[in-house]
Amino acid sequence: MQKSLTKYLYISCLFVFSIVINGKIMLDQNDKLEMPLPLPYDGIVYSSGDLNKFIEDSINSKKQPIIIFGANWCPDCRIFSGTINIPKIKSYIDNHFEILYVDVQRYEINMSLMEEYGIPSQEGIPRVLVFNYEKELI
């Protein structure tokens, strides 16, 4: 569990760092994770059509689509979501991206959707899918 948590904290930091490299966001000591961590997953069962519509709608609104597979029981998923919710990061994300959180619960729902994008479902969560404006997974 500790290794997994450390891995996702590292990934979250890389995500934040990649935004900072673009010169759009400068974080300081006041930019911290809010507690309690968010619970962004809502138990909705999606179809591939729902995801395609989300991707299409995001691109039509001039925002890049991001789909995040995860669950509220997963500390890594909640830390990642909390990182995205740091106000300076959230502002940047809201201006450039649309995010859809897809709940997998205890690997009981929406698992086949990951496989449609070539992601083996047994590899765990969170799984972050970022699409370009041509609807291609990058």
Side-chain angles (χ1 to χ4, degrees):
M1 174 78 168
Q2 181 68 23
K3 270 187 165 178
S4 179
L5 185 58
T6 302
K7 177 175 80 173
Y8 285 105
L9 280 171
Y10 178 73
I11 290 169
S12 294
C13 289
L14 281 177
F15 178 74
V16 171
F17 183 69
S18 69
I19 291 173
V20 173
I21 284 178
N22 289 327
K24 307 291 184 191
I25 298 175
M26 294 301 292
L27 300 179
D28 58 38
Q29 67 273 11
N30 296 317
D31 298 310
K32 299 177 183 174
L33 289 174
E34 296 280 328
M35 294 296 179
L37 290 169
L39 300 167
Y41 300 94
D42 53 15
I44 294 175
V45 175
Y46 291 99
S47 69
S48 59
D50 294 330
L51 298 189
N52 289 332
K53 181 174 178 0
F54 167 77
I55 292 166
E56 183 77 28
D57 291 348
S58 298
I59 292 169
N60 287 340
S61 66
K62 308 287 191 254
K63 293 189 178 181
Q64 205 167 340
I66 298 175
I67 299 173
I68 305 174
F69 289 90
N72 288 332
W73 59 264
C74 171
D76 301 332
C77 298
R78 293 181 65 195
I79 290 169
F80 187 74
S81 179
T83 302
I84 290 173
N85 287 337
I86 293 172
K88 288 179 185 173
I89 296 171
K90 183 167 179 35
S91 174
Y92 183 83
I93 294 285
D94 289 347
N95 287 327
H96 297 91
F97 301 92
E98 289 288 337
I99 296 177
L100 177 65
Y101 289 95
V102 178
D103 197 348
V104 299
Q105 291 184 352
R106 297 261 177 207
Y107 303 107
E108 302 160 330
I109 61 172
N110 296 315
M111 295 302 292
S112 62
L113 295 174
M114 270 198 275
E115 292 169 356
E116 285 186 33
Y117 293 103
I119 299 167
S121 58
Q122 67 272 17
E123 289 192 9
I125 53 174
R127 288 286 170 220
V128 180
L129 309 181
V130 181
F131 296 84
N132 64 21
Y133 292 107
E134 286 76 46
K135 303 179 190 174
E136 300 166 332
L137 182 61
I138 54 176

